[in-house]
Amino acid sequence: MKRIIDETVFVSSPVFPLPPFFREHHLLGVREFGDYINFLKINGAKVLMTTEGTTSFDLLSTGEISVFNKTLSDSFPHACILGLPRLGLEKLLEQIKWYNENIINDKAALMLLFPERFYSDNQVVDFFAEAAEASAVPVFIHGRQLVRAFGAPFYYTADLMNKIYDASSNIVGMKEEEKSIDNVLEFCHNVRKDRVCIFSGKGMSKYNVVWNNLQGDKSHSTYLVGIGSLCPMIENVY
């Protein structure tokens, strides 16, 4: 059974991405990871995230990512977005089943990555729709650059994201990764406004440029912090 969550809980503060913690001999620093979560919590953070980039999924096994994600969801009382690694659909569905059975935070969401080369919109839409429908919690799309069949880069367009949103009501938003401000402006002008957009890269500066240009409603948008990860209280002006 799907958990009904008001998606605006994920924009109740800036989003704090979590780095991994290690001890000697490459052992996971789970306790230290929990201590950092508590540090952010007592300093006002309301939305935490694990992600392929900041959480260094390339250094972790799928099981180790699950350990960090479960530590986050068990120890943080507010909204959390749990990044999953790049997996083919069958393996991803197995992971989603595990999360359905083990994640107890009632303000949790999963964040998914497309693992293949880009051939068509339908290919991407079908992948995320099936995964999202299998999830008991809301789903975010991690909009990292894809690679076309012939090797050229492909960024998520507003048209593609609208198709993804239309395919499953359980997909509540995305973490955008576009590098060009002009492209971000075009994207935000045309994408559905009832879905969450988490601005990354230049963080608040990008967020302000976009919304000052569009004069938009910020009720479904937020940004990924930078220096706030070390000094979260400076983000309280949000």
Side-chain angles (χ1 to χ4, degrees):
M1 185 173 66
K2 287 184 170 35
R3 302 176 199 173
I4 306 301
I5 302 174
D6 179 358
E7 67 274 2
T8 59
V9 72
F10 300 109
V11 297
S12 55
S13 85
V15 178
F16 292 76
L18 302 177
F21 285 76
F22 296 96
R23 298 178 181 177
E24 290 184 303
H25 311 297
H26 307 289
L27 296 176
L28 294 188
V30 177
R31 185 185 65 194
E32 293 81 359
F33 186 72
D35 289 344
Y36 180 58
I37 291 169
N38 188 57
F39 164 74
L40 294 176
K41 178 177 65 176
I42 64 178
N43 283 286
K46 294 293 190 294
V47 188
L48 305 187
M49 169 190 284
T50 59
T51 174
E52 183 184 55
T54 303
T55 319
S56 300
F57 284 0
D58 55 337
L59 301 180
L60 303 170
S61 68
T62 300
E64 289 171 331
I65 293 169
S66 297
V67 168
F68 279 139
N69 279 340
K70 183 159 174 55
T71 301
L72 168 56
S73 67
D74 286 354
S75 59
F76 190 63
H78 307 298
C80 57
I81 302 171
L82 312 176
L84 270 61
R86 296 177 189 265
L87 295 169
L89 184 58
E90 293 305 315
K91 290 184 178 179
L92 179 61
L93 292 175
E94 291 175 4
Q95 278 290 290
I96 289 172
K97 182 176 184 293
W98 184 89
Y99 281 86
N100 288 346
E101 295 169 351
N102 289 279
I103 298 304
I104 58 174
N105 187 324
D106 62 1
K107 297 177 183 175
L110 302 182
M111 185 165 67
L112 310 182
L113 287 151
F114 187 73
E116 306 172 32
R117 289 200 174 216
F118 173 82
Y119 291 93
S120 71
D121 283 5
N122 288 344
Q123 169 205 19
V124 180
V125 170
D126 291 346
F127 176 88
F128 284 126
E130 185 166 351
E133 288 304 300
S135 176
V137 300
V139 165
F140 278 81
I141 306 303
H142 191 168
R144 299 202 88 172
Q145 173 185 303
L146 304 179
V147 178
R148 293 181 183 272
F150 51 86
F154 176 83
Y155 286 96
Y156 286 79
T157 64
D159 182 60
L160 174 55
M161 281 309 305
N162 288 336
K163 291 176 182 176
I164 292 171
Y165 290 144
D166 290 344
S168 173
S169 60
N170 204 35
I171 300 174
V172 299
M174 78 172 300
K175 176 177 177 283
E176 67 83 27
E177 295 271 350
E178 177 60 67
K179 306 304 180 187
S180 161
I181 288 292
D182 288 339
N183 290 343
V184 172
L185 286 169
E186 181 180 357
F187 177 90
C188 292
H189 182 76
N190 294 297
V191 77
R192 284 177 58 167
K193 305 302 188 291
D194 61 343
R195 295 293 186 270
V196 172
C197 186
I198 300 169
F199 291 96
S200 59
K202 295 180 180 179
M204 184 148 195
S205 62
K206 183 193 286 187
Y207 174 79
N208 282 333
V209 167
V210 169
W211 291 110
N212 287 337
N213 275 272
L214 296 179
Q215 296 181 341
D217 174 9
K218 296 183 180 181
S219 65
H220 279 70
S221 65
T222 186
Y223 63 92
L224 208 67
V225 305
I227 192 66
S229 292
L230 299 177
C231 186
M233 57 285 295
I234 71 172
E235 303 292 347
N236 290 339
V237 298
Y238 172 80

